[in-house]
Amino acid sequence: MSKTLVIAEKPSVGRDLTKALPGAFAKHEGYLESDSHVVTWAVGHLVQLAEPDEYDAKYKKWRMNDLPIVPPKFKLVVRDERSRKQMTVITRMLKRDDVSDVINACDAGREGELIFAWTFEKAGAKKPVQRLWLSSMTSKAIKDAFTSLRPASEFAKLEEAARSRSEADWIVGMNATRAATIRLRSSFDGAVSLGRVQTPTLAIIARREEEIRAFVPEPYWLVDATFETVDDPRSYVGRFHAGAQPRLKTAEEATAIVEAVRGGRGTITKLEKTKRSEKSPLLYDLTSLQREANTRFGFSARRTLAAAQRCYEEHKVLTYPRTNSRFLPTDMIPEIKPIASLLGTQREYARASAYVTGLDVLPLGRVINDEKVTDHHAIIPTNSDHKVDKLSDDDRRIYDMVTRRFLAVFHPDAVFENTRLETTVAEHIFRTRGRVLLEAGWRGVYGEGLEERGGEDDEAPDQQLPKLVQGEQSDVREVGSEEKITQPPRRYSDASLLGAMETAGKLVEDEELREAMKDSGIGTPATRAAIIERLIDVGYVERDGRSLVCTEKGLSVIRLLGEHALTSPSLTGDWEHRLSKIEAGDEARENFMGDIAQFADATVRELDDKLKEVKIPRANLGPCPVCGHDIVENRKGFSCWGREDPGCGFVIWKSKAGKTLPPAVARELISRGRTEKAVTGFKGRSGRSFRAKLALMQTEEGRWRVEFDEPWAREGAKPPEGEEPAATEAAAAPAEAASQSEAA
């Protein structure tokens, strides 16, 4: 009897699939088998694109004359010994005489398609293939998918786009990294890692850092007054404005206004009330979920993805997370009320659920859009039992976000009344803003009414205002000025960087406009988290709380590249758009790859010319505190050693708890003996990041060491760590990172 071979992406998914297939399954090494089916699995990417020396041994040495390297046909190799073991199992299963056909059950997306395609190709298989396409891991969804298998040919363009992305990342990353590293060997320690997606992302962060460093703070003053109406005492606060500008340039100006209105009486010369409706936010795609989880909980993009993946794969409470759609298809309309009803069995969602299930007509205008759903629809709760008590804290938070968003999108607009008034005192105008929530609408789903909003651009914050009438008189009860300092632009967080990547560096906050730009962003929802982590791993970026800080190495790389096209977010965005067109069948893969090869060739020649004479001098940190000789930076540290003079042996090693100490920190340690502020970017054994002050200390043997200058360190305890490490998501790692393993 012939059997069908099912290849899943992970062991856990393989086990779930057997529950939807007939017969009893026996467990074997690397696969499960019944009378009719054999189920096996990859473990993420078992196979990867080969390194250059697999094509020619001469590429083991990095030489400019050998660039660019553009293989006429890409070779595939097994990633490592662990992967080889499972790859051997899959190959053996594919070559079994009793296996007549194959079902591709890898994740339903571009990366899952690539995992299967590479595995199938490496095994040399030729058997007919069908596709299992899942957006939900519930038992019903799996059974339904098995009864409606789709021909593999339907996904040929998706596979072409996946191969094109991976090969383009290899060509650009490998050639640019080698060219830059060859020319900058004397200036940088290790490889200068460049890539099609990571370099424009680094450029966004680095250019913001340059703006911050170039920023010159300036003082300014604000004048606030507390008013009380004359007839029936009611209080409110106003802020002085000269036209539209509340800022005063000098203390003298502020003092003059304070003295002019102190103890005075004013009149409400303007009072306007307007109603404003606020629509519910769209359903989540992965990027919007990551951005909001970072803003609300401080989760990194990778941490959010890991939690959403567990909610999909292990707990089966959410649909497929690696989606770039914020809409549902028409055929899901019958599912909406049953899902809402299911959510209503949980007390915290009961009221919102009852509203949705009680609607005669669902408002679907901002929910259903077949044109905006390609591989997968928006992330929503599944239509199955939700055992939320099994969820971890992270998983529960992500589940709650998705659940409330799903219910909220069917609720009416929230309605506010905005009040704007002006009080004139001795010709000086004070402005006041008020905001009242008239109808909670969708905001009621979150159990929140009016959120506190601080004043933007020094506008006075919103107040809960008493009833006021234009023409009323008010006495100035209190008045004073406050000195402030202009602030530099904020550093990027995961949330704001993901937003910038989604719109190729353009500042776009409007949800509908962001939707229109999605196909031209940097990276994809599934790869953006890995790109951020890649920049951290190669030492270009560090985490400081929720901020992403560009290191000196990262800044130097972007400064040296200048305006090279590789740093352009818009160029990378255009490439992403072309990849989407390949997937849709609107562009030939050969044309795209030809342009990528030309770009790599031009990049090699430009980097060769631009960086040939570049010499970045090693930092000189001044005299050694022990012997007085100059302390100079070398590959591994800062020391008074030299070829002619060995010095006294004083050294500060660069490597400390997963961080490379920059010259500025070493200089401060030498001059002060300790750092005044905590240094960021250290990593504990668990992989979590932390910050700490440092001190230069001498051991009993006379050796100098850099130690953590914190109470927990003196007590021998572990550091207080911040960022939660995510479970390894091998399938999400972009080929760009894999292709540069030699350069990392």
Side-chain angles (χ1 to χ4, degrees):
M1 177 182 174
S2 63
K3 296 188 177 185
T4 298
L5 175 64
V6 181
I7 301 178
E9 192 165 314
K10 303 179 188 73
S12 59
V13 176
R15 288 191 293 271
D16 286 337
L17 297 180
T18 61
K19 297 172 185 175
L21 293 169
F25 280 81
K27 185 176 180 181
H28 301 276
E29 186 68 34
Y31 68 99
L32 300 164
E33 186 168 2
S34 72
D35 292 340
S36 58
H37 290 82
V38 179
V39 177
T40 188
W41 45 79
V43 186
H45 277 285
L46 298 176
V47 176
Q48 65 184 17
L49 296 177
E51 296 290 332
D53 57 20
E54 294 280 346
Y55 300 92
D56 193 321
K58 70 179 182 180
Y59 294 139
K60 284 187 176 180
K61 291 187 177 180
W62 292 24
R63 288 184 291 254
M64 191 64 76
N65 289 340
D66 292 334
L67 303 180
I69 305 168
V70 182
K73 185 178 189 317
F74 278 87
K75 294 181 180 179
L76 297 171
V77 294
V78 179
R79 287 176 71 99
D80 49 37
E81 284 307 312
R82 180 181 170 218
S83 300
R84 189 178 305 282
K85 183 179 179 182
Q86 187 60 21
M87 186 66 206
T88 302
V89 172
I90 294 175
T91 303
R92 194 171 73 246
M93 296 300 107
L94 282 165
K95 292 182 177 179
R96 279 175 49 166
D97 292 335
D98 62 340
V99 169
S100 59
D101 60 310
V102 181
I103 294 175
N104 171 8
C106 290
D107 279 4
R110 194 184 286 170
E111 202 68 25
E113 200 68 23
L114 186 64
I115 287 171
F116 178 84
W118 279 356
T119 304
F120 199 71
E121 178 185 333
K122 184 63 177 172
K126 302 293 183 185
K127 292 177 179 178
V129 178
Q130 290 181 289
R131 188 62 159 107
L132 182 79
W133 195 260
L134 290 167
S135 286
S136 168
M137 285 297 294
T138 65
S139 297
K140 183 179 183 303
I142 294 171
K143 287 176 181 176
D144 289 346
F146 269 118
T147 59
S148 54
L149 293 169
R150 296 157 74 173
S153 58
E154 192 178 320
F155 300 91
K157 294 299 179 185
L158 180 64
E159 180 187 327
E160 283 189 14
R163 287 180 182 269
S164 299
R165 173 189 298 281
S166 181
E167 291 168 13
D169 286 344
W170 192 100
I171 291 170
V172 174
M174 193 66 71
N175 286 290
T177 294
R178 288 193 172 211
T181 302
I182 290 166
R183 286 291 172 246
L184 295 172
R185 271 180 178 143
S186 63
S187 303
F188 279 90
D189 302 323
V192 182
S193 178
L194 302 178
R196 183 184 68 86
V197 180
Q198 77 173 42
T199 302
T201 305
L202 173 62
I204 291 173
I205 302 171
R207 286 165 185 161
R208 174 63 57 85
E209 192 67 27
E210 296 283 21
E211 289 177 26
I212 293 169
R213 294 190 179 193
F215 181 82
V216 179
E218 296 178 355
Y220 66 94
W221 284 260
L222 300 174
V223 175
D224 288 334
T226 300
F227 296 97
E228 188 177 83
T229 53
V230 174
D231 296 334
D232 178 16
R234 285 154 284 140
S235 296
Y236 62 96
V237 176
R239 176 163 291 170
F240 170 79
H241 279 67
Q245 180 56 262
R247 295 184 179 185
L248 297 165
K249 293 183 178 179
T250 66
E252 289 74 20
E253 285 182 89
T255 301
I257 292 168
V258 169
E259 294 306 321
V261 304
R262 191 189 301 277
R265 177 168 289 183
T267 303
I268 298 176
T269 51
K270 184 177 181 181
L271 192 151
E272 295 177 347
K273 291 187 177 183
T274 56
K275 284 187 179 181
R276 186 177 70 85
S277 295
E278 182 185 66
K279 295 183 180 301
S280 66
L282 298 173
L283 295 171
Y284 286 119
D285 63 0
L286 178 58
T287 300
S288 58
L289 181 66
Q290 288 170 319
R291 292 185 71 196
E292 189 162 325
N294 179 252
T295 301
R296 290 177 63 180
F297 309 127
F299 285 8
S300 69
R302 183 172 66 173
R303 184 174 174 182
T304 300
L305 174 56
Q309 189 73 19
R310 288 191 298 270
C311 286
Y312 162 70
E313 203 169 275
E314 296 177 23
H315 306 298
K316 297 150 181 70
V317 295
L318 297 182
T319 58
Y320 187 75
R322 299 169 192 265
T323 176
N324 67 347
S325 177
R326 303 188 70 176
F327 297 90
L328 302 178
T330 304
D331 61 12
M332 285 203 67
I333 294 175
E335 294 275 313
I336 292 172
K337 283 193 176 182
I339 293 172
S341 178
L342 179 79
L343 297 172
T345 60
Q346 300 177 57
R347 183 176 53 82
E348 58 266 54
Y349 310 129
R351 186 173 178 181
S353 166
Y355 176 85
V356 176
T357 55
L359 289 170
D360 292 331
V361 179
L362 288 168
L364 301 174
R366 300 174 73 247
V367 180
I368 303 297
N369 189 330
D370 290 333
E371 292 182 2
K372 293 288 183 71
V373 180
T374 52
D375 297 346
H376 296 283
H377 55 67
I379 307 169
I380 62 170
T382 57
N383 188 8
S384 66
D385 290 336
H386 294 178
K387 297 177 181 177
V388 293
D389 56 317
K390 303 286 186 184
L391 302 181
S392 67
D393 287 345
D394 279 13
D395 299 354
R396 181 60 201 251
R397 283 175 166 179
I398 298 302
Y399 169 78
D400 182 70
M401 286 175 64
V402 173
T403 297
R404 291 188 190 276
R405 179 64 61 90
F406 173 77
L407 294 170
V409 79
F410 301 106
H411 279 65
D413 295 354
V415 181
F416 298 93
E417 181 181 77
N418 294 326
T419 302
R420 299 289 181 268
L421 67 90
E422 292 181 359
T423 306
T424 303
V425 187
E427 299 184 351
H428 297 297
I429 296 174
F430 289 77
R431 289 185 176 173
T432 302
R433 302 192 315 179
R435 191 170 184 239
V436 178
L437 182 65
L438 300 179
E439 298 172 24
W442 64 270
R443 283 182 170 274
V445 177
Y446 292 83
E448 61 185 47
L450 187 64
E451 62 186 12
E452 291 294 325
R453 297 195 312 175
E456 297 178 8
D457 298 327
D458 298 306
E459 289 285 338
D462 288 328
Q463 305 169 45
Q464 292 281 0
L465 292 173
K467 185 176 181 181
L468 299 169
V469 180
Q470 187 168 335
E472 267 194 291
Q473 292 189 318
S474 300
D475 289 332
V476 178
R477 291 303 183 200
E478 295 178 20
V479 64
S481 64
E482 180 183 7
E483 181 181 358
K484 294 198 166 221
I485 301 289
T486 55
Q487 297 296 314
R490 288 182 179 179
R491 288 191 172 97
Y492 283 101
S493 62
D494 281 59
S496 56
L497 182 60
L498 287 168
M501 293 173 77
E502 189 175 47
T503 56
K506 297 180 179 68
L507 184 63
V508 181
E509 290 302 327
D510 182 79
E511 279 194 332
E512 269 74 8
L513 190 53
R514 294 186 77 88
E515 279 295 309
M517 296 184 67
K518 267 190 171 175
D519 289 339
S520 300
I522 300 174
T524 66
T527 61
R528 287 177 190 136
I531 288 297
I532 296 172
E533 298 304 322
R534 170 73 179 165
L535 292 173
I536 294 171
D537 289 343
V538 297
Y540 291 161
V541 173
E542 293 175 348
R543 289 192 189 279
D544 181 10
R546 296 189 184 187
S547 298
L548 295 167
V549 183
C550 196
T551 63
E552 289 299 328
K553 184 178 181 182
L555 286 169
S556 295
V557 168
I558 298 303
R559 286 169 185 159
L560 290 169
L561 290 174
E563 296 302 315
H564 187 278
L566 197 57
T567 68
S568 169
S570 60
L571 175 66
T572 304
D574 290 342
W575 284 344
E576 292 293 348
H577 183 57
R578 291 182 67 183
L579 285 164
S580 296
K581 289 176 74 175
I582 292 172
E583 188 174 322
D586 297 330
E587 177 161 353
R589 163 167 150 79
E590 294 74 21
N591 293 346
F592 175 77
M593 294 308 301
D595 289 347
I596 288 291
Q598 288 180 16
F599 178 81
D601 182 53
T603 295
V604 167
R605 285 187 278 106
E606 186 174 341
L607 292 178
D608 184 22
D609 181 62
K610 189 177 190 126
L611 305 178
K612 188 177 290 184
E613 304 302 325
V614 169
K615 293 282 187 272
I616 302 177
R618 295 288 187 177
N620 187 318
L621 278 57
C624 172
V626 180
C627 67
H629 291 180
D630 278 356
I631 294 178
V632 180
E633 179 184 7
N634 56 50
R635 287 177 64 87
K636 293 188 176 180
F638 308 90
S639 71
C640 56
W641 304 342
R643 291 183 179 178
E644 292 77 24
D645 188 345
C648 67
F650 177 88
V651 62
I652 294 177
W653 301 110
K654 286 183 177 179
S655 181
K656 177 74 175 173
K659 175 183 173 67
T660 300
L661 299 181
V665 170
R667 187 177 285 114
E668 186 179 9
L669 286 168
I670 292 166
S671 62
R672 297 169 53 92
R674 54 181 25 87
T675 58
E676 184 178 356
K677 295 180 179 179
V679 179
T680 63
F682 297 112
K683 284 193 175 180
R685 292 180 180 177
S686 65
R688 301 177 185 177
S689 62
F690 69 95
R691 60 169 73 184
K693 292 180 181 178
L694 300 176
L696 192 58
M697 299 180 181
Q698 197 169 18
T699 66
E700 293 179 358
E701 296 81 20
R703 295 179 182 272
W704 291 89
R705 293 172 58 89
V706 175
E707 301 286 1
F708 293 120
D709 188 22
E710 298 285 355
W712 52 262
R714 290 189 283 272
E715 293 169 5
K718 292 181 180 179
E721 299 171 333
E723 178 60 35
E724 185 74 28
T728 301
E729 293 292 338
E736 174 181 34
S739 72
Q740 294 176 29
S741 58
E742 179 180 355

